[in-house]
Amino acid sequence: NPRWGFWKCFGALRHRGYGWNHKRVWRVYCAMGLNQKRRTKKRLPDRPRQPLEVPAQMNHTWSFDFMSDALYCGRRFRVLNVIDEGTREALEIVADTSLPAARVVRELEQIASVRGLPRRIRLDNGPEKLAQVFTDWCEDNGIELVYIQPGKPNQNAYIERFNRSYRTEVLNPYLFTSLSQVRDLSAAWLISYNEERPHDSLGRIPPAEFRRQITGEVSTFKLCA
């Protein structure tokens, strides 16, 4: 029973009639390598409340978050969603079985190679978002990290609202048999979300159209019949 822990093992030995004291049992327990790592709660630094006011401009503030779901066979997968809060555009939807911090950095670099880097990123206190490889990348690129307060998802309302739309329009309606299906449907939905789907907070125009209005970019997107 390697997961019992010391005192449970000691109590079981006493129950079986062995009279060894706890010091002797502890020495043998450690010599056998049975002592378990103590789980301690990681203490987060104080997070001030962050206002949600975002200037209506491209690349001022990005936010990203993770979601989880399962294929029809029961295999779990995760989804990384990245949005631009200023234009409300969905920048990327990445689905895979594992999305560690190094993978997050690679995906953000790929977005930045096309769109440019943001001034700051709003995010919660998940382990991938506190990882050294991610925070070092942001520091090297001059990106401010705006962490919300623990247990206050409303302070990250833009990405939370996007997650709900993605959940109700993609993840919930379909039974996926493979990751490629998740990726294909997500890619098609991302284009529709940015180019066709009216956004109430942008005056009922799609996010990409709003970006083109504030940047003066000419649209080349054509709706399919």
Side-chain angles (χ1 to χ4, degrees):
N1 300 288
R3 299 299 302 171
W4 271 15
F6 170 72
W7 288 109
K8 192 176 292 291
C9 289
F10 180 71
L13 291 172
R14 280 298 176 89
H15 182 69
R16 295 176 185 176
Y18 297 104
W20 305 309
N21 64 27
H22 70 279
K23 296 180 182 179
R24 172 177 288 189
V25 176
W26 175 249
R27 286 197 299 270
V28 175
Y29 183 82
C30 292
M32 295 177 66
L34 297 176
N35 33 333
Q36 302 175 37
K37 183 179 179 180
R38 178 171 293 185
R39 297 181 63 182
T40 56
K41 188 174 182 179
K42 186 173 182 179
R43 186 173 181 84
L44 295 172
D46 290 336
R47 306 292 194 195
R49 182 180 177 86
Q50 300 293 340
L52 269 175
E53 292 82 2
V54 178
Q57 58 182 270
M58 175 178 162
N59 286 348
H60 182 276
T61 304
W62 291 2
S63 59
F64 70 85
D65 199 9
F66 295 94
M67 303 179 70
S68 64
D69 211 300
L71 302 178
Y72 184 68
C73 64
R75 187 184 185 190
R76 303 294 300 180
F77 65 88
R78 302 185 76 196
V79 177
L80 168 66
N81 294 330
V82 187
I83 68 168
D84 186 323
E85 293 189 356
T87 63
R88 307 300 197 275
E89 285 180 284
L91 305 182
E92 189 61 273
I93 299 175
V94 183
D96 213 330
T97 53
S98 178
L99 293 168
R103 174 71 180 280
V104 173
V105 169
R106 292 199 302 272
E107 297 295 340
L108 294 178
E109 286 179 337
Q110 186 172 348
I111 298 171
S113 66
V114 177
R115 192 180 182 89
L117 291 167
R119 297 183 189 177
R120 60 182 195 166
I121 297 177
R122 194 192 313 273
L123 64 175
D124 60 31
N125 298 274
E128 298 88 356
K129 302 157 190 175
L130 298 171
Q132 195 71 39
V133 63
F134 171 71
T135 56
D136 285 349
W137 179 80
C138 291
E139 183 178 355
D140 293 342
N141 287 280
I143 301 172
E144 177 189 0
L145 292 178
V146 183
Y147 288 101
I148 66 172
Q149 295 174 314
K152 302 289 185 180
N154 58 301
Q155 295 179 12
N156 205 7
Y158 294 120
I159 190 66
E160 294 290 342
R161 180 64 181 84
F162 177 83
N163 288 348
R164 189 178 77 175
S165 297
Y166 178 67
R167 172 74 68 183
T168 57
E169 297 179 22
V170 179
L171 295 181
N172 285 352
Y174 296 97
L175 290 176
F176 302 105
T177 59
S178 66
L179 275 175
S180 61
Q181 286 186 331
V182 181
R183 292 165 181 156
D184 290 345
L185 278 168
S186 297
W189 183 82
L190 183 145
I191 294 173
S192 174
Y193 182 89
N194 286 335
E195 299 285 355
E196 302 175 9
R197 188 179 191 272
H199 203 292
D200 291 345
S201 66
L202 302 178
R204 296 187 181 277
I205 62 174
E209 180 62 28
F210 178 76
R211 170 177 52 80
R212 288 189 284 266
Q213 287 184 8
I214 63 177
T215 61
E217 180 183 344
V218 178
S219 175
T220 59
F221 179 76
K222 294 181 180 180
L223 292 175
C224 296

